[in-house]
Amino acid sequence: MRRDAAKAADYARRHQVANWYSKVEDLLDNPALNAIYIATPPSSHYDYALKALEAGKNVYVEKPVTLNADEATLLLEAVRKTSGKLVVAHYRRQLPLFLKVKELLEAGEIGTIRTVQLRLWQSRAPELVTKGAADWRTDPAISGGGYFFDLAPHQLDLMLYFFGAPISYNGFSQLQDAASAVADQTTGTMLFENQIIFNGSWCFNVRSEDNIDCCEIVGSQEKSSFRYLAIPSY
């Protein structure tokens, strides 16, 4: 389904898809569909997810799940009132790279973890996001925030996957470049129950020469480093 009927029809023809729609209501009226994938920008996640839940569908929604925490709370209430499930697209937990990292950590291959440091620094036109359309990620009315909202959820979710739920967390964002409409710098810290501390730094206004995408897990015996976002992100 997409609002442009001609593009929806063209995609269906090229990929041999039997049914296509230009209105979400028509798609949800199809009783043969039991699950809906919402891959639109965040501004429409809440409305589409709510309609799908009310139609009795299961929902798989892209991150960030909504524009803000209030919408997320309302969706949680809707899930409790309906028969459908709602999950967020944190699929990276099942990618071979991160399964291997999890395996090494659980086997104690790098020893006792001392610290976890993440840096994602990019220029104002990050190479890590799709360039095929207007950059809605820097329009707060559509994205809810900036590149941090779009890219960091995968990283933070993997921290929970590796180390469990945090017992304390804090951070802040700021708009450093006056030409931007959204925060372009964020820093944060998480403390996990096993005394592991995570420090994250996200900056989207550096020179292209200073671009970096690196997570370093330092252990008592050795350290492990990997890139989070080398795999294309929505």
Side-chain angles (χ1 to χ4, degrees):
M1 171 265 162
R2 62 185 303 165
R3 291 169 297 178
D4 188 319
K7 290 183 178 179
D10 176 65
Y11 183 94
R13 176 186 55 78
R14 289 185 289 110
H15 297 277
Q16 294 80 52
V17 178
N19 301 308
W20 61 268
Y21 307 90
S22 59
K23 295 181 180 179
V24 68
E25 292 80 9
D26 293 339
L27 179 145
L28 295 176
D29 281 342
N30 185 340
L33 300 177
N34 60 12
I36 305 297
Y37 172 39
I38 300 174
T40 61
S43 57
S44 54
H45 285 184
Y46 173 76
D47 289 339
Y48 284 167
L50 185 61
K51 288 179 180 179
L53 288 169
E54 291 175 342
K57 312 295 186 183
N58 298 305
V59 180
Y60 181 73
V61 61
E62 272 299 332
K63 46 76 203 162
V65 60
T66 53
L67 277 178
N68 51 58
D70 289 341
E71 287 187 349
T73 300
L74 291 173
L75 272 190
L76 177 59
E77 293 174 0
V79 170
R80 290 170 173 166
K81 294 176 182 178
T82 62
S83 59
K85 293 181 180 180
L86 184 146
V87 295
V88 186
H90 290 309
Y91 60 88
R92 297 190 181 212
R93 292 186 180 204
Q94 290 303 308
L95 294 179
L97 168 61
F98 303 119
L99 288 172
K100 186 63 177 179
V101 172
K102 177 79 165 175
E103 175 189 326
L104 293 174
L105 293 174
E106 292 182 344
E109 292 292 332
I110 65 172
T112 302
I113 297 171
R114 299 308 190 198
T115 184
V116 182
Q117 303 291 324
L118 180 147
R119 285 184 296 167
L120 179 61
W121 300 346
Q122 296 286 301
S123 67
R124 295 189 62 193
E127 295 300 322
L128 299 173
V129 298
T130 303
K131 300 297 193 301
D135 193 3
W136 51 264
R137 294 169 181 82
T138 54
D139 183 343
I142 299 176
S143 67
Y147 291 116
F148 176 83
F149 273 47
D150 185 54
L151 300 174
H154 280 313
Q155 300 173 312
L156 297 176
D157 179 65
L158 284 170
M159 289 296 100
L160 304 186
Y161 178 53
F162 294 154
F163 307 121
I167 59 175
S168 177
Y169 47 86
N170 60 75
F172 66 88
S173 294
Q174 67 172 354
L175 198 164
Q176 196 174 55
D177 188 336
S180 176
V182 292
D184 49 22
Q185 190 175 80
T186 298
T187 185
T189 301
M190 290 191 289
L191 170 64
F192 295 92
E193 193 171 33
N194 46 15
Q195 295 186 305
I196 294 172
I197 294 178
F198 162 87
N199 290 292
S201 173
W202 297 264
C203 188
F204 300 99
N205 61 14
V206 300
R207 303 177 308 156
S208 58
E209 293 86 351
D210 294 323
N211 284 356
I212 186 171
D213 167 18
C214 179
C215 181
E216 187 171 67
I217 303 175
V218 179
S220 58
Q221 297 179 26
E222 57 181 296
K223 62 184 178 182
S224 174
S225 300
F226 55 89
R227 297 178 64 191
Y228 265 107
L229 300 169
I231 304 163
S233 174
Y234 285 98

mmCIF file of all heavy atoms in Angstrom, residues 66-92:
data_model
loop_
_atom_site.group_PDB
_atom_site.id
_atom_site.type_symbol
_atom_site.label_atom_id
_atom_site.label_comp_id
_atom_site.label_asym_id
_atom_site.label_seq_id
_atom_site.Cartn_x
_atom_site.Cartn_y
_atom_site.Cartn_z
ATOM 1 N N THR A 66 7.109 5.594 17.607
ATOM 2 C CA THR A 66 6.204 6.732 17.451
ATOM 3 C C THR A 66 7.004 8.031 17.477
ATOM 4 O O THR A 66 8.209 8.022 17.698
ATOM 5 C CB THR A 66 5.154 6.776 18.587
ATOM 6 O OG1 THR A 66 5.838 6.723 19.842
ATOM 7 C CG2 THR A 66 4.170 5.618 18.487
ATOM 8 N N LEU A 67 6.300 9.139 17.307
ATOM 9 C CA LEU A 67 6.964 10.449 17.350
ATOM 10 C C LEU A 67 7.456 10.802 18.743
ATOM 11 O O LEU A 67 8.438 11.514 18.898
ATOM 12 C CB LEU A 67 5.995 11.543 16.883
ATOM 13 C CG LEU A 67 5.838 11.790 15.386
ATOM 14 C CD1 LEU A 67 4.805 12.880 15.158
ATOM 15 C CD2 LEU A 67 7.157 12.162 14.734
ATOM 16 N N ASN A 68 6.758 10.310 19.760
ATOM 17 C CA ASN A 68 7.097 10.694 21.131
ATOM 18 C C ASN A 68 6.604 9.641 22.112
ATOM 19 O O ASN A 68 5.896 8.699 21.739
ATOM 20 C CB ASN A 68 6.499 12.065 21.465
ATOM 21 C CG ASN A 68 5.019 12.128 21.146
ATOM 22 O OD1 ASN A 68 4.229 11.338 21.661
ATOM 23 N ND2 ASN A 68 4.633 13.066 20.298
ATOM 24 N N ALA A 69 6.962 9.805 23.369
ATOM 25 C CA ALA A 69 6.620 8.825 24.405
ATOM 26 C C ALA A 69 5.121 8.779 24.662
ATOM 27 O O ALA A 69 4.562 7.704 24.971
ATOM 28 C CB ALA A 69 7.365 9.158 25.690
ATOM 29 N N ASP A 70 4.423 9.907 24.548
ATOM 30 C CA ASP A 70 2.972 9.916 24.784
ATOM 31 C C ASP A 70 2.252 9.014 23.796
ATOM 32 O O ASP A 70 1.349 8.258 24.171
ATOM 33 C CB ASP A 70 2.433 11.343 24.684
ATOM 34 C CG ASP A 70 2.865 12.216 25.859
ATOM 35 O OD1 ASP A 70 3.253 11.650 26.902
ATOM 36 O OD2 ASP A 70 2.819 13.455 25.724
ATOM 37 N N GLU A 71 2.648 9.087 22.516
ATOM 38 C CA GLU A 71 2.028 8.219 21.511
ATOM 39 C C GLU A 71 2.344 6.748 21.782
ATOM 40 O O GLU A 71 1.488 5.882 21.596
ATOM 41 C CB GLU A 71 2.505 8.607 20.110
ATOM 42 C CG GLU A 71 1.921 9.902 19.582
ATOM 43 C CD GLU A 71 2.293 10.159 18.135
ATOM 44 O OE1 GLU A 71 3.165 9.454 17.589
ATOM 45 O OE2 GLU A 71 1.704 11.078 17.529
ATOM 46 N N ALA A 72 3.563 6.479 22.228
ATOM 47 C CA ALA A 72 3.942 5.104 22.530
ATOM 48 C C ALA A 72 3.097 4.555 23.672
ATOM 49 O O ALA A 72 2.672 3.387 23.658
ATOM 50 C CB ALA A 72 5.426 5.026 22.883
ATOM 51 N N THR A 73 2.820 5.370 24.676
ATOM 52 C CA THR A 73 1.983 4.950 25.799
ATOM 53 C C THR A 73 0.564 4.640 25.333
ATOM 54 O O THR A 73 -0.043 3.647 25.755
ATOM 55 C CB THR A 73 1.952 6.045 26.877
ATOM 56 O OG1 THR A 73 3.282 6.276 27.352
ATOM 57 C CG2 THR A 73 1.068 5.639 28.051
ATOM 58 N N LEU A 74 0.034 5.470 24.448
ATOM 59 C CA LEU A 74 -1.309 5.234 23.919
ATOM 60 C C LEU A 74 -1.360 3.946 23.102
ATOM 61 O O LEU A 74 -2.342 3.195 23.160
ATOM 62 C CB LEU A 74 -1.743 6.424 23.052
ATOM 63 C CG LEU A 74 -2.008 7.725 23.806
ATOM 64 C CD1 LEU A 74 -2.270 8.862 22.818
ATOM 65 C CD2 LEU A 74 -3.199 7.559 24.750
ATOM 66 N N LEU A 75 -0.300 3.658 22.355
ATOM 67 C CA LEU A 75 -0.260 2.403 21.602
ATOM 68 C C LEU A 75 -0.225 1.207 22.536
ATOM 69 O O LEU A 75 -0.866 0.175 22.273
ATOM 70 C CB LEU A 75 0.950 2.379 20.671
ATOM 71 C CG LEU A 75 0.799 2.960 19.277
ATOM 72 C CD1 LEU A 75 2.025 2.634 18.427
ATOM 73 C CD2 LEU A 75 -0.450 2.430 18.580
ATOM 74 N N LEU A 76 0.522 1.325 23.613
ATOM 75 C CA LEU A 76 0.575 0.238 24.588
ATOM 76 C C LEU A 76 -0.817 -0.030 25.160
ATOM 77 O O LEU A 76 -1.226 -1.193 25.313
ATOM 78 C CB LEU A 76 1.553 0.592 25.710
ATOM 79 C CG LEU A 76 1.670 -0.420 26.854
ATOM 80 C CD1 LEU A 76 2.119 -1.784 26.327
ATOM 81 C CD2 LEU A 76 2.630 0.077 27.914
ATOM 82 N N GLU A 77 -1.551 1.021 25.449
ATOM 83 C CA GLU A 77 -2.918 0.857 25.945
ATOM 84 C C GLU A 77 -3.797 0.184 24.904
ATOM 85 O O GLU A 77 -4.643 -0.663 25.236
ATOM 86 C CB GLU A 77 -3.488 2.223 26.326
ATOM 87 C CG GLU A 77 -2.788 2.863 27.521
ATOM 88 C CD GLU A 77 -3.271 4.279 27.785
ATOM 89 O OE1 GLU A 77 -4.147 4.757 27.026
ATOM 90 O OE2 GLU A 77 -2.773 4.908 28.731
ATOM 91 N N ALA A 78 -3.595 0.528 23.621
ATOM 92 C CA ALA A 78 -4.389 -0.076 22.549
ATOM 93 C C ALA A 78 -4.079 -1.564 22.414
ATOM 94 O O ALA A 78 -4.972 -2.371 22.179
ATOM 95 C CB ALA A 78 -4.114 0.651 21.233
ATOM 96 N N VAL A 79 -2.799 -1.931 22.558
ATOM 97 C CA VAL A 79 -2.419 -3.337 22.474
ATOM 98 C C VAL A 79 -3.123 -4.132 23.569
ATOM 99 O O VAL A 79 -3.615 -5.251 23.333
ATOM 100 C CB VAL A 79 -0.886 -3.496 22.612
ATOM 101 C CG1 VAL A 79 -0.505 -4.957 22.772
ATOM 102 C CG2 VAL A 79 -0.186 -2.909 21.394
ATOM 103 N N ARG A 80 -3.203 -3.584 24.755
ATOM 104 C CA ARG A 80 -3.831 -4.273 25.879
ATOM 105 C C ARG A 80 -5.330 -4.450 25.686
ATOM 106 O O ARG A 80 -5.936 -5.345 26.261
ATOM 107 C CB ARG A 80 -3.556 -3.506 27.173
ATOM 108 C CG ARG A 80 -2.091 -3.579 27.620
ATOM 109 C CD ARG A 80 -1.790 -2.618 28.745
ATOM 110 N NE ARG A 80 -0.432 -2.819 29.265
ATOM 111 C CZ ARG A 80 0.186 -1.957 30.063
ATOM 112 N NH1 ARG A 80 -0.423 -0.836 30.441
ATOM 113 N NH2 ARG A 80 1.412 -2.211 30.489
ATOM 114 N N LYS A 81 -5.933 -3.596 24.862
ATOM 115 C CA LYS A 81 -7.372 -3.654 24.643
ATOM 116 C C LYS A 81 -7.756 -4.496 23.429
ATOM 117 O O LYS A 81 -8.943 -4.776 23.227
ATOM 118 C CB LYS A 81 -7.923 -2.237 24.457
ATOM 119 C CG LYS A 81 -7.818 -1.365 25.697
ATOM 120 C CD LYS A 81 -8.292 0.040 25.410
ATOM 121 C CE LYS A 81 -8.147 0.946 26.631
ATOM 122 N NZ LYS A 81 -8.566 2.347 26.338
ATOM 123 N N THR A 82 -6.787 -4.878 22.609
ATOM 124 C CA THR A 82 -7.077 -5.621 21.384
ATOM 125 C C THR A 82 -6.408 -6.986 21.430
ATOM 126 O O THR A 82 -5.684 -7.309 22.359
ATOM 127 C CB THR A 82 -6.568 -4.851 20.151
ATOM 128 O OG1 THR A 82 -5.147 -4.696 20.229
ATOM 129 C CG2 THR A 82 -7.212 -3.466 20.071
ATOM 130 N N SER A 83 -6.659 -7.766 20.395
ATOM 131 C CA SER A 83 -6.101 -9.126 20.346
ATOM 132 C C SER A 83 -4.784 -9.186 19.582
ATOM 133 O O SER A 83 -4.150 -10.235 19.505
ATOM 134 C CB SER A 83 -7.109 -10.073 19.680
ATOM 135 O OG SER A 83 -7.404 -9.631 18.351
ATOM 136 N N GLY A 84 -4.357 -8.062 19.015
ATOM 137 C CA GLY A 84 -3.151 -8.066 18.198
ATOM 138 C C GLY A 84 -1.883 -7.871 18.997
ATOM 139 O O GLY A 84 -1.908 -7.426 20.149
ATOM 140 N N LYS A 85 -0.758 -8.211 18.386
ATOM 141 C CA LYS A 85 0.549 -7.969 18.964
ATOM 142 C C LYS A 85 1.185 -6.778 18.254
ATOM 143 O O LYS A 85 0.891 -6.516 17.086
ATOM 144 C CB LYS A 85 1.457 -9.188 18.806
ATOM 145 C CG LYS A 85 1.020 -10.404 19.598
ATOM 146 C CD LYS A 85 2.018 -11.543 19.377
ATOM 147 C CE LYS A 85 1.603 -12.775 20.172
ATOM 148 N NZ LYS A 85 2.572 -13.886 19.966
ATOM 149 N N LEU A 86 2.079 -6.086 18.940
ATOM 150 C CA LEU A 86 2.835 -5.007 18.326
ATOM 151 C C LEU A 86 4.299 -5.177 18.699
ATOM 152 O O LEU A 86 4.632 -5.277 19.882
ATOM 153 C CB LEU A 86 2.320 -3.643 18.771
ATOM 154 C CG LEU A 86 2.987 -2.437 18.090
ATOM 155 C CD1 LEU A 86 1.994 -1.305 17.891
ATOM 156 C CD2 LEU A 86 4.190 -1.937 18.893
ATOM 157 N N VAL A 87 5.160 -5.238 17.698
ATOM 158 C CA VAL A 87 6.599 -5.344 17.933
ATOM 159 C C VAL A 87 7.319 -4.304 17.081
ATOM 160 O O VAL A 87 6.827 -3.892 16.033
ATOM 161 C CB VAL A 87 7.143 -6.759 17.601
ATOM 162 C CG1 VAL A 87 6.552 -7.783 18.542
ATOM 163 C CG2 VAL A 87 6.832 -7.137 16.163
ATOM 164 N N VAL A 88 8.481 -3.884 17.568
ATOM 165 C CA VAL A 88 9.285 -2.881 16.865
ATOM 166 C C VAL A 88 10.372 -3.591 16.063
ATOM 167 O O VAL A 88 10.879 -4.642 16.477
ATOM 168 C CB VAL A 88 9.906 -1.892 17.866
ATOM 169 C CG1 VAL A 88 10.626 -0.756 17.133
ATOM 170 C CG2 VAL A 88 8.816 -1.314 18.765
ATOM 171 N N ALA A 89 10.753 -3.010 14.940
ATOM 172 C CA ALA A 89 11.655 -3.668 13.990
ATOM 173 C C ALA A 89 13.120 -3.637 14.427
ATOM 174 O O ALA A 89 13.986 -3.119 13.733
ATOM 175 C CB ALA A 89 11.513 -3.033 12.606
ATOM 176 N N HIS A 90 13.398 -4.224 15.589
ATOM 177 C CA HIS A 90 14.780 -4.351 16.045
ATOM 178 C C HIS A 90 15.320 -5.717 15.611
ATOM 179 O O HIS A 90 15.678 -6.560 16.436
ATOM 180 C CB HIS A 90 14.855 -4.193 17.562
ATOM 181 C CG HIS A 90 14.583 -2.803 18.032
ATOM 182 N ND1 HIS A 90 15.238 -1.706 17.507
ATOM 183 C CD2 HIS A 90 13.736 -2.317 18.963
ATOM 184 C CE1 HIS A 90 14.803 -0.606 18.109
ATOM 185 N NE2 HIS A 90 13.896 -0.944 18.982
ATOM 186 N N TYR A 91 15.387 -5.883 14.302
ATOM 187 C CA TYR A 91 15.756 -7.172 13.712
ATOM 188 C C TYR A 91 17.242 -7.507 13.867
ATOM 189 O O TYR A 91 17.660 -8.644 13.650
ATOM 190 C CB TYR A 91 15.414 -7.171 12.221
ATOM 191 C CG TYR A 91 16.131 -6.092 11.448
ATOM 192 C CD1 TYR A 91 17.404 -6.317 10.914
ATOM 193 C CD2 TYR A 91 15.561 -4.851 11.267
ATOM 194 C CE1 TYR A 91 18.076 -5.328 10.231
ATOM 195 C CE2 TYR A 91 16.229 -3.845 10.585
ATOM 196 C CZ TYR A 91 17.484 -4.085 10.074
ATOM 197 O OH TYR A 91 18.153 -3.105 9.410
ATOM 198 N N ARG A 92 18.055 -6.544 14.249
ATOM 199 C CA ARG A 92 19.500 -6.791 14.239
ATOM 200 C C ARG A 92 19.937 -7.807 15.288
ATOM 201 O O ARG A 92 21.036 -8.331 15.217
ATOM 202 C CB ARG A 92 20.246 -5.475 14.397
ATOM 203 C CG ARG A 92 19.945 -4.580 13.196
ATOM 204 C CD ARG A 92 20.800 -3.360 13.129
ATOM 205 N NE ARG A 92 20.389 -2.575 11.961
ATOM 206 C CZ ARG A 92 21.200 -1.842 11.245
ATOM 207 N NH1 ARG A 92 22.464 -1.770 11.550
ATOM 208 N NH2 ARG A 92 20.753 -1.167 10.209
#
